[in-house]
Amino acid sequence: MAANKQTLGFIGLGVMGSRMARRLRDAGYPLVVHDINPVAVATLVKAGARAAKSARDVADRAGIVFASVPSPQVLRDISLGAQGVIHGKAIKTLVDLSTTGSAVEKEVAAGLAKRRITLVDALVSGGATGAEKGTLAVMVAGKAAAIESLRDMLAVLGKVFVAGNTPGQAQMMKLLNNMLSQSALAMSLEAFVAGAKAGLDLDTMAAVINAGSGRNTATEDKIPRCVLTRNFDFGFPVAGACKDIGLAIEECQALGLPMIVGSAARQLWQFAYNQGGGKRDMTELVKYLEPWAGVTVQGKAARNPSPKAPKSRRRV
C-alpha cells in the first residue's frame, strides 16, 4: 500500500504532531520526519518513518511537508531560515498545522511563494485524543487546487472544513475557536469552585449543567474527566492556552474589536502562567482558583479511588 502513495514530510513531533504523523504513517504514507527532540523522532522511526537532520532535509526528500510547531518564530525558522524548507529541492507544498496567527502565516506564505512553494493553512482542533483517533476538525485555507490535492491526507486526520482561499483565514478560524474553548474552561472552573464553596456535590453539578443550557466542552469532558478525578491529564499546557488566547485577542483587536470578555479570560490564564504554571496541564488552572475559596474541586472518583489502582499511578 505504501508504494502507491507519495512520500510526505513532517516537521514537529510534539503532543499533536507525533499523533498526526503516526496516523499518516499508519495510513500507508511513507514519511520523513524531523524534530529537535531525538526521542520523538526515534519513536516515529520505530513506526516506519525515516529521520531527517533538518527541516531543509525533509524538504529535500518530500514534495508535501506538514508542520506542527509551537510558535510563530519556530514557524519562520523552519520555513524561511537557513535550514528551512524554502531551500528544499523537492518541496512544492507546505501544510501548516500550527497555531501561530494570521500575520506570520501571510509572511511565510509570501516568502515561500518567491520559490514557487505553496502554503496551505490547515489548523486543527480536537486535542491529543482527536489527533490520535483521527477525529480532529481540520480548518483549511489556501488555493483551491492545493487543498483538493491534500484532501485524502487531511481526511486521515479528521473532518475537513474549508475556511477560505487565503493563508491566514484558517488561523483566524482556529484562534476564535480556541478563545471560546479556553474562555469556557476558565469560566466553568470558576463556577465549580463556587459550587464547592457552597457545598454542592460536584458530580451532580456536572450532570445538571450538562443537562441544561450551561453545558460546554469543559463541563462535558475536561472537568469530569480531568478535574473532578484530579487526574489533570487533558494533554495541553497552560503555556499553550496563554499563547492561543493571546493571539486570538491580538488578532481581534487589530480588527478594532475590544474583546472585553476574552481579555478577562486571558488575564486568568496569564495569572496561572506567571505563577510558574506554564508547563502544567491546562485543566490545572483550577489549582489557581481553589486557594481563594479554600476548597478542592473533586468528585466521587477522586474521593474514593479504586483500591485496585497501584498507588504509584494515582495522581493527586
Side-chain angles (χ1 to χ4, degrees), residues 57-58 73 107 119 134 148 160 163 206 294 301-302:
D57 188 22
V58 173
Q73 188 54 51
E107 174 190 335
L119 177 67
E148 194 59 34
V160 179

Side-chain angles (χ1 to χ4, degrees), residues 194-210:
K197 185 69 172 179
L200 299 180
D201 179 88
L202 298 187
D203 292 308
T204 302
M205 181 177 176
V208 169
I209 290 172
N210 290 329

Side-chain angles (χ1 to χ4, degrees), residues 65-275:
V65 177
F66 290 79
S68 178
V69 297
S71 71
Q73 188 54 51
V74 176
L75 179 64
R76 288 189 185 96
D77 290 344
I78 65 100
S79 300
L80 307 178
Q83 291 299 314
V85 300
I86 192 170
H87 304 293
K89 298 175 182 177
I91 185 172
K92 299 297 182 185
T93 305
L94 176 66
V95 184
D96 182 24
L97 303 160
S98 323
T99 305
T100 52
S102 64
V104 71
E105 199 75 4
K106 293 173 183 176
E107 174 190 335
V108 170
L112 293 177
K114 295 176 182 178
R115 298 293 293 267
R116 297 184 179 180
I117 300 170
T118 298
L119 177 67
V120 173
D121 202 7
L123 282 291
V124 297
S125 179
T129 299
E132 193 160 334
K133 294 182 178 180
T135 57
L136 295 169
V138 185
M139 297 152 272
V140 189
K143 295 179 180 178
I147 292 173
E148 194 59 34
S149 71
L150 297 168
R151 274 194 180 273
D152 289 346
M153 303 164 204
L154 295 174
V156 172
L157 308 180
K159 186 174 182 179
V160 179
F161 299 88
V162 178
N165 57 14
T166 304
Q169 289 179 306
Q171 289 283 340
M172 191 63 173
M173 184 81 78
K174 170 66 183 298
L175 289 173
L176 293 175
N177 174 82
N178 282 18
M179 181 177 64
L180 283 170
S181 175
Q182 288 149 8
S183 298
L185 178 57
M187 187 67 242
S188 297
L189 289 174
E190 285 191 329
F192 274 80
V193 168
K197 185 69 172 179
L200 299 180
D201 179 88
L202 298 187
D203 292 308
T204 302
M205 181 177 176
V208 169
I209 290 172
N210 290 329
S213 59
R215 67 184 180 275
N216 57 67
T217 57
T219 64
E220 289 181 321
D221 177 40
K222 298 182 184 76
I223 291 175
R225 180 165 61 88
C226 305
V227 179
L228 297 185
T229 60
R230 306 300 287 184
N231 286 333
F232 303 117
D233 56 356
F234 182 70
F236 192 71
V238 167
C242 283
K243 181 200 76 172
D244 288 359
I245 196 169
L247 282 170
I249 289 168
E250 289 165 10
E251 296 262 356
C252 292
Q253 288 177 339
L255 295 174
L257 304 172
M259 307 311 291
I260 296 168
V261 177
S263 295
R266 182 188 188 183
Q267 283 185 315
L268 182 54
W269 284 107
Q270 195 64 47
F271 174 77
Y273 181 86
N274 290 342
Q275 298 303 306

